[in-house]
């Protein structure tokens, strides 16, 4: 019995994984946006200041751009080569955990001026976001695990 890995290179497996990712990753990014908005709200309403809300706002902007990229990837699916698909999946394997790490760092930095209850809410929100994102990346198991670990590392 073979086990699914992030590096299966058969053409059919790569195409199927990429096809699934074109549907899952926009959902992942929408989850990140939805989870980041309350963090901004807490920072603004509990005394973190506008300056401390800028990093999560930048994260939302970058995530939105990536979400659009993957939405357009659905239209390009039939014209992409296996090498292009593998390159996009490798990028995802780097961007996903990096995004989890950055979100946790932003939550910690933004929460420094917050009361302990708001800090806890912010960190739990980031952790829930990481778990939801890992489910969206179930077709890349190692990447899914890396997101959860990267999000927990700064915490």
């Amino acid at each position: 019995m073979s086990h699914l890995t992030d590096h299966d290179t058969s053409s059919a497996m790569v195409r199927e994984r990429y096809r699934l990712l074109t549907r899952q990753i926009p959902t992942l990014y929408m989850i990140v946006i939805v989870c980041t908005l309350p963090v901004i709200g807490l920072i603004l309403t509990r005394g973190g200041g506008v300056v401390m809300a800028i990093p999560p706002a930048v994260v939302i902007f970058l995530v939105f751009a990536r979400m659009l990229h993957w939405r357009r990837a659905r239209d390009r699916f039939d014209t992409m080569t296996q090498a292009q698909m593998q390159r996009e999946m490798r990028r995802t394997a780097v961007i996903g955990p990096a995004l989890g790490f950055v979100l946790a760092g932003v939550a910690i930095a933004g929460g420094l001026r917050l009361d302990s209850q708001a800090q806890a809410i912010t960190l739990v929100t980031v952790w829930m976001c990481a778990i939801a994102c890992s489910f969206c990346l179930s077709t890349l198991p190692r990447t899914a695990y890396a997101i959860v670990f990267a999000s927990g590392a700064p915490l």
Side-chain angles (χ1 to χ4, degrees):
M1 178 176 174
S2 70
H3 294 288
L4 190 64
T5 68
D6 288 359
H7 304 293
D8 287 337
T9 57
S10 72
S11 180
M13 180 63 76
V14 169
R15 293 192 70 73
E16 182 60 21
R17 277 196 170 158
Y18 189 79
R19 186 186 64 74
L20 289 170
L21 288 173
T22 62
R23 287 171 179 37
Q24 294 171 332
I25 289 181
T27 303
L28 173 151
Y29 286 133
M30 187 55 69
I31 290 168
V32 172
I33 290 170
V34 167
C35 288
T36 306
L37 288 173
V39 171
I40 292 173
L42 279 171
I43 291 170
L44 291 175
T45 60
R46 300 268 181 113
V50 175
V51 173
M52 295 307 287
I54 292 172
V58 169
V59 168
I60 288 176
F61 175 77
L62 295 174
V63 164
F64 187 75
R66 289 298 296 167
M67 184 175 70
L68 290 178
H69 168 80
W70 278 97
R71 296 280 301 175
R72 285 188 228 118
R74 290 181 190 176
D75 299 332
R76 295 187 315 261
F77 176 75
D78 293 327
T79 61
M80 291 186 73
T81 66
Q82 181 176 345
Q84 290 170 321
M85 291 178 187
Q86 287 174 318
R87 186 173 40 252
E88 284 297 323
M89 287 189 278
R90 283 192 300 273
R91 279 189 194 141
T92 299
V94 172
I95 291 172
L99 179 61
F101 186 83
V102 167
L103 275 176
V106 163
I108 290 169
L112 291 177
R113 294 185 178 171
L114 302 178
D115 59 79
S116 60
Q117 181 184 18
Q119 286 177 351
I121 292 169
T122 301
L123 296 176
V124 168
T125 301
V126 168
W127 188 249
M128 288 172 43
C129 178
I131 292 169
C133 290
S134 70
F135 280 111
C136 289
L137 287 176
S138 60
T139 57
L140 299 174
R142 289 183 186 160
T143 303
Y145 297 141
I147 287 174
V148 173
F149 289 120
S151 297
L155 306 177

